[in-house]
Amino acid sequence: MQATASHTDVLLEIGELTAGYGAQPVLHGISLHVARHEFVAVIGANTAGKSTLLRAISGLLPQCRGRIAFEGRDLTRMKAHQIAGLGIAHVPEGRHVFPEMTVEENLRMGAFSHADRGAVQQALERVFELFPRLKERRAQYAGSMSGGEQQMVAVGRGMMLEPKLLILDEPSLGLAPMVVEEMHQRFLDIHRSGVTVLLVEQNVSLALHSAERAYVMASGAIEIEGSARELLHDDRIRKAYLGI
Amino acid sequence: MTRAETLSIALPALVVLALIIAPLGLDPYGYTLRILCLMLLFCAMGQAWNIVGGLANQISLGHAAYFGIGAYSSTILFGSFGLSPLIGVFVGMALAALFALVLSLPTLRLKGHYFALATLAAGEVARVVANSWTSLTGGPVGISVPYRPDAGFWALQFQTVLPNYYLFLGAMVLVSLVFWRVQTSAFGYRLRAIKENETAAEVIGVNTYRVKLHASLLSAVLTAMLGTLYAQFQFFFDPDTIFGVATISVKMALIVILGGAGRLYGPWIGAAVIIPLEEMANSYLGNSIAGLSQFAYGVLLIVVILLNPRGLISLFESLRDRLKRRQRA
Ligand SMILES: Nc1ncnc2c1ncn2[C@@H]1O[C@H](COP(=O)(O)OP(=O)(O)OP(=O)(O)O)[C@@H](O)[C@H]1O
Ligand SMILES: [Mg+2]
């Protein structure tokens, strides 16, 4: 019984994934898994292939070989919009908002999967609860917001999907330390509300303090895997990423 | 209703009313009325282009293909089988949709200038085919719509230009209403999402390919309809004009981009500026220097995009905003 339970608890499973943009693959046989309700971080140097991995999951790469299963369903042949429909919200690297739409329009765009207005309104209220700032600025054009606010819009828009899995790609890139701290508190809130989180983060210390488990990527492969607490005390990581 | 909302309905209503009244004082066979006809036609064509080019920023330079397919379909059916253009127009629309469908399969995944170049090439293919398929189209010498003044409305032919004018006005209003309906719908928001950030659109679940395809089909079908109206108005055309890059494709894009891409009144403003300008240029320079207008359009398009990609409508808006601020102060 125990085995079956833990098996169904795997939300996302990736096996021997090889993927890239052209002839030369960027990812070389990646295997990882994310359990339901888990908070997993992926860390690694620039160009390690972290964003490429996330793009492969959400269907933004033209071709990938290997296995990507979400709730047991194979994602490798699905298109991005179908994958979003399964309940995977990807907040891509760089602030991908719709600049000439208002904050509220941006958020409502994220709620396509909801059939009725009531559900959209509820989702909107939840996002406003999470980011009160967005409620204040709901009528402002997203393109005229600060970097941190735009990132809130992007995350909030992802949450409008009411996802099972929230994928965050370097959400704190280029933001002031105060804002970064604040943002991570929200990610913990989101996680606590029952959403599974897969986070790519440059700030290794922050990532390992937010996440429960983490993978370290280098040159398109997983190098180290472990609980966040173990990794925080792992000498290799302390030397390479934490500068201790 | 707020004052702004009242104005946004009252203003276009006034313009349309003025357009209904305007020709009553004009010579029904006259030159001015013909220019107004072309203005309305090109406004409608721009509006059709605006659905996909403006809202989704899919800059097509091949819309002449749909226009020409519409014109040739109804004209050939009328000439060879006596089929009324009122029916032929639908055949043209269906064929244009088919052409758009075939063209979309390889091109809709292309981004930016690759898409523009691919559509440009497709328009040229249509022109070459029309030129060489002589048995069907009459080839480079062109084709005439048989004159049947007795057949009346069934032949969509009239004694004066006036009925044509009202047909064009009706078409312009119709296509503008279609554009407005699209723009304000969820479908329109998806098109705008594609324009503003295609990756973001994909990850929030927009089927970008299908949305672009549907918009392209709608745009193609409306353009073909206008092709038939143009054929019935001109009575004669040849492949190089009806499938022309400068005469049709670039002009459609230019009218919209100059006026304001993705905006309801963009093509209105664009056509009101471009068509009279072009007529003036033609009457001063004459049509003698072939290729000059082609060159001029290319240059104008680049200048407009570089100087003010938001179009003339943005100038009006910033003027309005400034007035408002002064009022408040
Ligand atoms: N669109 C693309 N086309 C071709 N190659 C790409 C593309 N995007 C990324 N790459 C290449 O793939 C490799 C991995 O890039 P990726 O963006 O996945 O790294 P990353 O770990 O996310 O880095 P960063 O921390 O800088 O975001 C790099 O060598 C990069 O040059
Ligand atoms: Mg990255």
Side-chain angles (χ1 to χ4, degrees), chain A residues 45-220:
Chain A
N46 285 116
T47 76
K50 308 181 294 294
S51 298
T52 306
L53 170 64
L54 300 189
R55 281 187 209 123
I57 297 169
S58 58
L60 291 174
L61 288 187
Q63 76 253 41
C64 48
R65 274 184 295 119
R67 219 154 41 77
I68 307 176
F70 181 72
E71 296 187 310
R73 231 176 299 191
D74 177 32
L75 300 189
T76 51
R77 274 154 209 278
M78 285 196 200
K79 302 258 184 291
H81 66 93
Q82 295 169 316
I83 292 172
L86 295 179
I88 298 182
H90 181 172
V91 181
E93 185 176 5
R95 290 152 207 142
H96 289 278
V97 297
F98 303 121
E100 293 183 26
M101 293 188 201
T102 65
V103 168
E104 186 169 338
E105 285 173 332
N106 263 275
L107 295 177
R108 285 183 182 278
M109 286 297 297
F112 273 136
S113 52
H114 296 303
D116 66 300
R117 277 161 199 270
V120 174
Q121 199 57 40
Q122 272 177 16
L124 194 62
E125 292 306 326
R126 273 195 286 273
V127 169
F128 284 154
E129 239 165 74
L130 202 59
F131 299 111
R133 185 120 189 98
L134 296 186
K135 190 170 187 175
E136 288 165 32
R137 297 291 171 101
R138 64 201 292 172
Q140 189 176 333
Y141 285 111
S144 67
M145 311 266 283
S146 76
E149 290 167 335
Q150 288 193 19
Q151 195 62 56
M152 285 177 205
V153 172
V155 174
R157 195 183 50 207
M159 287 305 291
M160 288 297 288
L161 194 70
E162 309 214 304
K164 294 171 186 158
L165 175 66
L166 178 66
I167 295 179
L168 300 161
D169 195 351
E170 309 221 16
S172 56
L173 198 69
L175 302 184
M178 284 273 289
V179 184
V180 172
E181 195 73 48
E182 170 69 24
M183 199 67 101
H184 271 259
Q185 286 306 318
R186 297 294 81 79
F187 299 155
L188 290 172
D189 291 344
I190 289 170
H191 177 232
R192 238 175 267 128
S193 76
V195 179
T196 309
V197 180
L198 178 61
L199 166 77
V200 161
E201 176 62 70
Q202 285 269 316
N203 186 329
V204 171
S205 159
L206 201 56
L208 293 180
H209 280 102
S210 297
E212 297 160 321
R213 215 155 52 75
Y215 293 88
V216 182
M217 268 184 86
S219 312

Side-chain angles (χ1 to χ4, degrees), chain A residues 96 98-100 105 112, chain B residues 189-190 192 196-197 202 310:
Chain A
H96 289 278
F98 303 121
E100 293 183 26
E105 285 173 332
F112 273 136
Chain B
Y189 268 94
R190 288 177 199 142
R192 278 177 60 193
E196 295 187 24
N197 195 319
E202 280 177 47
R310 284 161 185 277

